[in-house]
Amino acid sequence: MPAPLDIVFAALADPTRRAILSMLLEDDMAVSDVAEPFQMSLAAISKHLAVLAGAGLISQEKRGRINWCKLEPDALREASAWMAGFGQMEGVDFDAFEAFLQRELGLEVPEA
């Protein structure tokens, strides 16, 4: 089973999901309002919302006949703390870091 941090980063990897989170920064939203700016089906948006909820980044609540989405900012704390550790390092070679991550994940490392 993937670690919680892996699930959060996987959820954040998609630009649609990041856009949804940005929208929810303003206020809770009905699912239909979340879907409005996107050119995709309500079913596709619901799948994105399920991924975000599975990562703990949002919660969903049914109020009457309407499903509402709410941002859960605490879920980003661990990811934020992990990323902040890199901001404290001077002279980080991000190309070397990317190559390291690719090796760790078993991905092909492009030739430099």
Side-chain angles (χ1 to χ4, degrees):
M1 181 166 154
L5 190 57
D6 294 343
I7 295 169
V8 169
F9 279 117
L12 294 172
D14 186 275
T16 299
R17 292 193 285 267
R18 290 193 307 271
I20 291 170
L21 291 176
S22 294
M23 292 166 52
L24 292 174
L25 275 172
E26 301 296 321
D27 200 4
D28 299 357
M29 296 179 75
V31 171
S32 58
D33 293 334
V34 170
E36 189 175 314
F38 300 100
Q39 296 197 356
M40 60 181 71
S41 69
L42 190 58
I45 289 295
S46 292
K47 287 180 182 180
H48 283 295
L49 294 173
V51 171
L52 291 170
L57 295 167
I58 67 166
S59 59
Q60 292 184 286
E61 175 186 355
K62 190 159 182 120
R63 299 180 200 160
R65 292 186 295 171
I66 300 173
N67 286 321
W68 288 83
C69 301
K70 176 183 177 183
L71 182 68
E72 296 294 342
D74 289 344
L76 288 172
R77 275 200 182 126
E78 186 179 354
S80 179
W82 185 84
M83 290 185 297
F86 292 101
Q88 296 173 6
M89 301 168 74
E90 291 187 34
V92 174
D93 182 349
F94 287 105
D95 290 332
F97 179 64
E98 179 183 15
F100 166 78
L101 288 177
Q102 288 175 332
R103 284 191 305 275
E104 288 295 308
L105 296 173
L107 302 174
E108 185 177 314
V109 179
E111 293 295 319

